Amino acid sequence: SQKIEQNSEALNIQEGKTATLTCNYTNYSPAYLQWYRQDPGRGPVFLLLIRENEKEKRKERLKVTFDTTLKQSLFHITASQPADSATYLCALLSGGYQKVTFGTGTKLQVIP
Amino acid sequence: DGGITQSPKYLFRKEGQNVTLSCEQNLNHDAMYWYRQDPGQGLRLIYYSQIVNDFQKGDIAEGYSVSREKKESFPLTVTSAQKNPTAFYLCASSISGGGLYNEQFFGPGTRLTVL
């Protein structure tokens, strides 16, 4: 069956370090992969999209990689700040309609 | 000020009652979506609509209904047939359903509690 896995345990890191979050998937052939940020009680906010033929995408302190062989995406936040504390969701787009399927998210806590 | 709005933010209903959640967008987006989020779970797609007067079932459509009579509006009705309706409901829109234009803009959500 199709599955998207994100680390369900919270990730705690020290301010200034690089946070790395993982999104693994099985039985998908996604054309695109997205990352969103969600704060408690609010709707997710889009961060980055990466295509299947792109290895890496950057935006300011954010970097996303997409390895279709490993069926994995890594999401990095460099020089992390307490304001980066949130839940981060990955989402896959596949199928004729480009149906979006979300992972369960990983909660990141940046400690001052 | 463009965006997507949902109302109300909190909604309480008695078991057995139908309830309609509002979703409006002024982004001129063609595609709109409804998701449900339960604690510890990801967003699950209920219904989506690529254009006016057309909508498709998502993964968990049973017990829900929608309409798309206007481009800017996509209301969701939670019917009494939905066995476990208490959840956080999120509406989203995107320019279109296609890949590169599928960046989804989410509303603030409606937290529905059925007593």
Side-chain angles (χ1 to χ4, degrees):
Chain A
S1 62
Q2 293 180 321
K3 196 185 292 186
I4 303 172
E5 291 181 322
Q6 294 185 256
N7 195 340
S8 58
E9 290 184 15
L11 176 65
N12 297 318
I13 65 163
Q14 208 70 36
E15 182 177 4
K17 302 290 186 186
T18 296
T20 299
L21 285 67
T22 304
C23 176
N24 294 302
Y25 58 92
T26 54
N27 294 322
Y28 277 102
S29 295
Y32 306 89
L33 189 145
Q34 300 173 330
W35 282 89
Y36 289 80
R37 168 186 173 139
Q38 186 175 24
D39 291 286
R42 303 177 84 104
V45 175
F46 173 83
L47 297 173
L48 281 168
L49 176 148
I50 186 166
R51 289 179 273 195
E52 61 179 337
N53 60 356
E54 295 178 314
K55 297 288 185 196
E56 182 180 298
K57 200 83 169 275
R58 291 175 185 261
K59 179 182 176 182
E60 298 172 353
R61 294 185 296 113
L62 309 180
K63 185 178 86 171
V64 171
T65 62
F66 192 10
D67 190 326
T68 54
T69 302
L70 291 178
K71 297 188 183 300
Q72 180 181 79
S73 174
L74 298 178
F75 177 80
H76 307 272
I77 305 175
T78 58
S80 60
Q81 304 165 0
D84 295 326
S85 299
T87 296
Y88 292 86
L89 306 167
C90 70
L92 305 185
L93 283 73
S94 60
Y97 158 66
Q98 303 294 357
K99 180 184 164 188
V100 181
T101 305
F102 282 83
T104 54
T106 297
K107 186 174 181 179
L108 173 66
Q109 188 76 33
V110 180
I111 303 161
Chain B
D1 197 19
I4 181 164
T5 58
Q6 292 183 244
S7 61
K9 190 164 178 63
Y10 298 96
L11 191 53
F12 296 88
R13 278 293 181 271
K14 290 183 179 178
E15 196 172 334
Q17 289 181 333
N18 291 358
V19 61
T20 298
L21 281 58
S22 166
C23 178
E24 305 277 330
Q25 54 99 359
N26 61 3
L27 300 167
N28 201 32
H29 286 174
D30 283 320
M32 296 188 74
Y33 315 79
W34 273 105
Y35 294 92
R36 169 184 173 138
Q37 189 173 36
D38 295 282
Q41 295 199 36
L43 280 66
R44 291 185 289 167
L45 183 64
I46 304 172
Y47 269 97
Y48 59 93
S49 168
Q50 297 186 65
I51 55 171
V52 175
N53 293 321
D54 183 62
F55 49 83
Q56 307 295 329
K57 291 182 179 180
D59 298 317
I60 55 165
E62 187 175 347
Y64 299 98
S65 67
V66 293
S67 63
R68 186 85 188 275
E69 296 175 2
K70 297 187 293 183
K71 188 175 185 177
E72 58 270 22
S73 179
F74 192 40
L76 173 75
T77 297
V78 185
T79 75
S80 56
Q82 167 49 230
K83 292 189 181 358
N84 186 16
T86 295
F88 187 47
Y89 290 88
L90 286 159
C91 179
S93 69
S94 63
I95 294 174
S96 76
L100 281 178
Y101 303 103
N102 196 280
E103 172 188 341
Q104 296 193 22
F105 292 77
F106 283 83
T110 292
R111 192 167 296 280
L112 172 65
T113 303
V114 175
L115 305 170

